[in-house]
Amino acid sequence: MSLTINREHPEYIARKAMWKQYKDLYAGGEQLRVNASEYLVRRHKEPGQVYQERLSRVFYENYVGSIVDWYAATLIRREPSILFEGTDTAAKDFYSLLSGDCDLKGTRISEYFRQRFVQTLVCGSSYIVVDFPRMNGSALNRADEDASGRSRAYLVDYCPDEVINWNYDQTGGLDWIVIRTSCLQQSKVTDAKWEHETRWIYYDRENFQIYRKTGDDKPVELVDEGLHGLASLHRVPVFQMKVSDGLWLMNKAALLQLEHFNKSNALSWALTMGLFATPVVYSDKQWNQIVGESYYIQLGQSDRFGWTEPEGKVYQIAADTTWSG
């Protein structure tokens, strides 16, 4: 298993670049500025130095992020009321505890699913794992199980770009799934150096396995395995929240947002350059002096220089199109 745990599903391979782009477009800010070279189109035969200068001045108007947040806030305007009926006191306590803190981080279940809904609008889907604390040994009875916290269910969320492989049975039910996460971990030794750690979690209908790899030169190792919380139901403990193509807001708006991003930056660059007039020297003699803002163009006495659209109307059209949207 350790040799194939990192295998990626063909659908995942086809979509992982898209998920990264969609997350950058939603977050905006510094996250998009750092990755701006992936989205700012380089002009035909544009010098590398000029392109790097444009990248250093890049900006992003995050319309799509506001649209997604507004839609989620409008749809989930009121927090739903959760009512527990029946005479089973233990069941009421179980669900009351879960609804008040569903992820062991103090998040109410309504806020938790609002966050998952936003992630679904951005990435098209979101994954939720139902889990229980893992402890050594077995509980003697139900009271011991409750006292040790073994019966305390909680939810763990994963983005689609973390679910790298899966398989469905003939009825369309999830047969098994592999989740991969990575982060920086600080070692507990004296030097306390930072190491890149990757973890894989494998779930099937009854069992789970956790693999780990730290650094680039260490092998993948199995660190934990056993029965998961839904083994008695013979079900993979992973649930997918998904929206239709019509409700996938980021997928509908991403290309338009990228077009606006490139046009607005092109217009801003043109306006900025227009504020710094470039001197033109008509002379056949050698010219070494630096004038203006250190840029100049030297032409011969009979040479001519101009633009294919000298009146500047294209900039007015771009301005009306970009800033009115």
Side-chain angles (χ1 to χ4, degrees):
M1 174 67 76
S2 62
L3 299 177
T4 61
I5 192 66
N6 202 36
R7 180 180 298 168
E8 297 178 350
H9 195 281
E11 184 177 335
Y12 173 85
I13 296 174
R15 291 194 168 197
K16 60 182 178 180
M18 177 198 68
W19 285 320
K20 180 183 181 304
Q21 180 187 96
Y22 286 4
K23 291 166 73 173
D24 288 344
L25 291 176
Y26 173 74
E30 184 65 15
Q31 180 172 325
L32 187 130
R33 190 195 68 80
V34 171
N35 301 313
S37 61
E38 300 178 22
Y39 311 119
L40 187 67
V41 177
R42 186 171 179 175
R43 296 176 298 178
H44 181 59
K45 294 186 178 181
E46 181 177 19
Q49 186 176 3
V50 175
Y51 181 66
Q52 290 301 319
E53 188 172 350
R54 286 209 299 137
L55 282 176
S56 68
R57 301 177 60 88
V58 77
F59 69 94
Y60 177 65
E61 296 174 288
N62 194 353
Y63 294 117
V64 67
S66 300
I67 292 172
V68 169
D69 289 341
W70 176 87
Y71 186 85
T74 302
L75 187 63
I76 314 177
R77 183 175 302 175
R78 296 180 180 178
E79 182 174 336
S81 300
I82 302 177
L83 302 177
F84 305 109
E85 298 180 350
T87 59
D88 192 337
T89 304
K92 290 183 178 180
D93 293 339
F94 174 86
Y95 287 109
S96 177
L97 186 61
L98 180 65
S99 63
D101 178 12
C102 66
D103 59 355
L104 302 183
K105 301 176 183 177
T107 307
R108 293 183 59 82
I109 196 167
S110 57
E111 172 61 20
Y112 181 86
F113 278 98
R114 187 196 69 81
Q115 295 173 6
R116 303 288 69 74
F117 180 65
V118 169
Q119 186 178 78
T120 304
L121 293 178
V122 174
C123 297
S125 62
S126 181
Y127 291 86
I128 302 170
V129 174
V130 179
D131 209 346
F132 290 83
R134 291 186 287 273
M135 299 181 181
N136 296 327
S138 58
L140 300 177
N141 48 46
R142 181 63 181 271
D144 183 37
E145 187 179 57
D146 293 340
S148 62
R150 301 170 192 266
S151 61
R152 172 66 165 96
Y154 63 94
L155 309 179
V156 184
D157 59 277
Y158 294 100
C159 191
D161 60 356
E162 295 175 318
V163 179
I164 65 170
N165 204 358
W166 59 88
N167 191 61
Y168 291 95
D169 60 19
Q170 295 180 353
T171 63
L174 194 61
D175 197 24
W176 55 263
I177 195 169
V178 178
I179 300 171
R180 180 179 63 195
T181 61
S182 60
C183 63
L184 283 176
Q185 291 284 1
Q186 192 171 19
S187 60
K188 298 180 181 179
V189 295
T190 306
D191 58 355
K193 64 178 181 179
W194 290 95
E195 292 183 330
H196 185 80
E197 179 181 279
T198 302
R199 281 180 174 252
W200 295 265
I201 307 177
Y202 166 84
Y203 291 106
D204 58 25
R205 295 183 180 274
E206 295 180 353
N207 303 291
F208 76 91
Q209 293 176 335
I210 300 179
Y211 295 85
R212 181 182 65 180
K213 179 180 180 181
T214 56
D216 297 329
D217 55 344
K218 296 181 180 179
V220 177
E221 58 178 344
L222 177 66
V223 295
D224 198 4
E225 63 179 334
L227 297 175
H228 56 66
L230 300 187
S232 60
L233 301 178
H234 196 61
R235 176 167 185 169
V236 179
V238 181
F239 299 84
Q240 183 186 33
M241 179 185 290
K242 189 175 182 179
V243 291
S244 64
D245 291 339
L247 288 177
W248 189 358
L249 296 187
M250 181 60 74
N251 193 50
K252 297 172 74 71
L255 295 179
L256 182 60
Q257 182 74 73
L258 284 175
E259 182 71 10
H260 180 274
F261 170 70
N262 277 278
K263 283 188 175 179
S264 59
N265 276 272
L267 177 60
S268 176
W269 175 258
L271 293 175
T272 301
M273 292 298 99
L275 296 175
F276 301 96
T278 301
V280 180
V281 180
Y282 291 92
S283 174
D284 293 327
K285 298 179 180 180
Q286 183 68 28
W287 186 273
N288 297 319
Q289 293 88 338
I290 295 178
V291 295
E293 299 296 329
S294 76
Y295 299 96
Y296 71 91
I297 299 175
Q298 183 176 1
L299 301 174
Q301 293 289 348
S302 60
D303 294 338
R304 291 293 180 266
F305 175 82
W307 300 97
T308 57
E309 209 277 328
E311 297 182 5
K313 293 180 180 179
V314 65
Y315 291 119
Q316 183 61 47
I317 295 174
D320 293 341
T321 303
T322 301
W323 303 114
S324 63

